[in-house]
Amino acid sequence: MTTIEEWWDAVAATAVLGTARRSVPPAPETVPDRRGASAQTALLDAAALGGAMVRSGRPLRTGSAPAAAPADRLPVAPAGGVQLLELVLHQTPGGADLRGDLLGHWLACANAAGYRVPSRLLPRLLDQALTRPELHRDALTAADARGAWLVANRRRWRPMIASARAAAGAGEELLDDAAWARQPTVARAEMLTRLRADDPAAARERLESVWASEKAADRATLIKTLRTGLSLEDEPLLERALDDRGADVRVAARLLLDALPGSARGQRLGALLRPLITVTGVVRRTLHVEPPAEADAAARRDGLDKAPKGRSQRGHWLTQLAAGAPLEVWTDATGSDPEATWPMITDPDARAGIIAAVIARRDQVWARALVDDVHRGELLEIVPNADREAIVLRQLLTGAAAGTSGTTISARLRAVPGPWSLDFSRTILDLLTARERELTRSVATLAARMPPEIVPDLHRLPDSLAKQRNQLIQHLSLVHAITEAFQ
């Protein structure tokens, strides 16, 4: 063991496994070692000492202490706000499942008002925020200078720095070729993804510079980073990857090209698909799609490969064609818009490919045409936010009569971002009150998205829902109290 942190990790492992299965790790030079004590006593001593070090903020490495923390720039939050933060951190009303939403609200209010977290609460806050990437940026802002010092000096919290930079859209300095190549593949993929968000061309050039020397498994991991900031400028590399010797690389390239409207591969697949479509019927028009009978070498390169076990070969090819071809192929065949075209397509393999294409390309017009018929959360998330309440409300009210499952209800509600309107919240509350199990499943979603103005309606929930009623009232009342504390 060379550091206190590594020793503490080993102590924790021994505590989990037991001294009968794992010996107590020898203490570093800076820690008193109770040689001669029983294993159980030595473990308890190590736990007591290590726990004190953790609570102090940062376990010291063997050697010199770090430089002193700089002075904070922001004033500490008002006393009322601090009391509410302590409540959220240590005894969250409504349960731990709702803590992340309350922390996010507290941090947003504090940052908007220009206040910081008091120093004594920083370790607890950073621990709670660590597992919630969506909070990293706001947590570091509210932690101020001393919080940044703590994060930089504690290995456990350091990932928050890169995460916060990515959330802020900040680029990062590229390592030189040799240093970058020495990083683990997962770390390099994370670096490329962050760089893609800021400078897609630079990230692509870095990937191209090492492409020929990478193992196939690593190429398959690294090429997926092109999904961030994907554009036609990435097409030459993706076309090159279609000929890669690694099957996983070829599949990854095809999926990325499926998400890229206007690609040459899309046009090639569209040319194969168009002759397979015919319009039938007079009164009730439908699209008949004849699955391809064969696939030549060029088609196999573009994705018409061997079908998975249990799938029809021709049906698999049709799904691949529909997933990669331009969506205009279908509307051109009918002369109608997506809303009128979709009901005319009855072939399940073609429909599966179209759904995959709409999700991959995040096509809002097609998603709007499919969303009432295909109950997929990914489709609902593509529809503009302003339309989602009306769509979900219509689906749920229709589905209630048809016995829509609680899992489906919860998934649809999660797809509607908050804050919800008061009218929508009241209608959802009325719907779920009659379905108590579904309301229980949806408590966290309701608490995070309903406005505090719904509280009077919550008081009218029946006593059979007393626990859920109290959770929601406590949570929403605390949201309101946090807002008031910073005004």
Side-chain angles (χ1 to χ4, degrees):
M1 301 290 168
T2 58
T3 70
I4 298 293
E5 287 175 308
E6 291 169 339
W7 168 74
W8 179 240
D9 289 343
V11 169
T14 302
V16 171
L17 295 175
T19 56
R21 298 177 59 190
R22 183 166 181 154
S23 59
V24 180
E29 295 178 0
T30 55
V31 176
D33 195 357
R34 296 272 313 271
R35 300 184 187 279
S38 68
Q40 293 83 355
T41 301
L43 177 60
L44 290 173
D45 287 347
L49 183 57
M53 291 177 172
V54 170
R55 287 193 299 274
S56 71
R58 173 185 181 266
L60 288 178
R61 296 180 180 273
T62 302
S64 60
D72 285 316
R73 298 178 294 275
L74 301 173
V76 71
V82 172
Q83 290 176 350
L84 293 170
L85 177 59
E86 289 183 292
L87 180 63
V88 172
L89 290 173
H90 298 289
Q91 194 175 1
T92 308
D97 290 344
L98 302 178
R99 181 178 293 145
D101 180 67
L102 289 171
L103 278 179
H105 184 64
W106 194 97
L107 292 169
C109 289
N111 290 337
Y115 289 109
R116 65 175 172 86
V117 177
S119 299
R120 62 186 172 81
L121 295 180
L122 284 174
R124 178 72 174 175
L125 170 69
L126 295 173
D127 274 340
Q128 291 296 329
L130 180 63
T131 58
R132 299 176 171 89
E134 71 278 6
L135 299 183
H136 290 178
R137 183 182 178 187
D138 282 347
L140 289 180
T141 300
D144 208 5
R146 179 164 297 189
W149 176 86
L150 280 172
V151 171
N153 283 285
R154 180 86 186 274
R155 183 179 58 188
R156 169 179 169 80
W157 294 326
R158 285 178 200 158
M160 295 176 65
I161 299 176
S163 175
R165 287 174 61 84
E172 62 180 90
E173 183 179 351
L174 277 176
L175 299 173
D176 60 62
D177 289 345
W180 190 79
R182 287 194 296 269
Q183 300 296 314
T185 301
V186 173
R188 288 186 293 153
E190 291 175 352
M191 293 169 63
L192 282 177
T193 299
R194 293 196 296 270
L195 184 59
R196 285 283 297 183
D198 186 62
D199 191 344
R204 183 180 60 254
E205 290 168 5
R206 169 52 61 89
L207 177 57
E208 290 178 318
S209 71
V210 299
W211 186 258
S213 61
E214 295 291 334
K215 298 178 181 178
D218 293 340
R219 290 197 302 276
T221 298
L222 295 174
I223 197 173
K224 293 175 184 176
T225 64
L226 297 183
R227 183 172 299 278
T228 301
L230 182 67
S231 73
L232 286 174
E233 293 181 356
D234 302 312
E235 187 179 17
L237 177 56
L238 295 174
E239 282 281 345
R240 177 181 168 190
L242 291 177
D243 298 312
D244 198 275
R245 63 181 182 273
D248 289 345
V249 180
R250 297 194 299 271
V251 170
R254 292 168 189 164
L255 291 174
L256 287 168
L257 286 167
D258 283 348
L260 189 60
S263 71
R265 172 179 174 269
Q267 298 304 316
R268 294 193 297 267
L269 293 178
L272 293 175
L273 179 59
R274 288 179 191 275
L276 305 177
I277 303 173
T278 55
V279 181
T280 62
V282 178
V283 177
R284 183 179 179 182
R285 302 173 71 212
T286 61
L287 285 183
H288 174 72
V289 189
E290 181 68 25
E294 58 183 5
D296 59 17
R300 290 195 297 273
R301 176 180 183 269
D302 280 332
L304 273 63
D305 53 3
K306 184 177 180 181
K309 187 176 180 180
R311 281 291 310 275
S312 157
Q313 182 64 73
R314 295 180 68 190
H316 172 68
W317 284 343
L318 179 54
T319 298
Q320 299 303 102
L321 281 174
L327 290 165
E328 293 77 26
V329 168
W330 305 99
T331 50
D332 288 348
T334 64
S336 301
D337 60 18
E339 190 168 357
T341 297
W342 175 249
M344 298 170 62
I345 304 169
T346 58
D347 187 287
D349 295 311
R351 287 167 71 95
I354 293 171
I355 293 168
V358 173
I359 293 173
R361 297 167 205 170
R362 300 192 66 79
D363 189 298
Q364 291 189 350
V365 176
W366 270 91
R368 185 65 185 80
L370 271 60
V371 72
D372 283 333
D373 184 45
V374 182
H375 298 155
R376 293 273 295 271
E378 303 101 308
L379 287 173
L380 190 56
E381 290 171 0
I382 299 171
V383 174
N385 290 348
D387 299 332
R388 291 189 205 176
E389 283 192 4
I391 292 171
V392 169
L393 200 55
R394 182 173 62 253
Q395 291 178 349
L396 292 183
L397 291 175
T398 303
T404 302
S405 72
T407 301
T408 302
I409 291 175
S410 298
R412 292 180 190 171
L413 291 179
R414 287 195 298 271
V416 183
W420 293 344
S421 68
L422 186 57
D423 287 342
F424 179 75
S425 300
R426 284 172 171 162
T427 305
I428 294 300
L429 191 62
D430 289 342
L431 175 66
L432 294 183
T433 299
R435 307 182 67 168
E436 296 186 1
R437 183 176 298 178
E438 282 69 31
L439 190 147
T440 300
R441 284 196 186 104
S442 305
V443 163
T445 302
L446 300 178
R449 290 166 170 78
M450 283 183 167
E453 292 79 12
I454 196 70
V455 168
D457 297 85
L458 295 173
H459 282 290
R460 292 192 287 272
L461 287 176
D463 290 341
S464 59
L465 290 169
K467 179 181 177 180
Q468 297 87 338
R469 177 184 63 206
N470 292 338
Q471 282 182 303
L472 291 169
I473 290 174
Q474 289 173 354
H475 180 91
L476 292 171
S477 297
L478 191 52
V479 168
H480 179 71
I482 291 172
T483 303
E484 291 292 314
F486 289 97
Q487 290 180 347

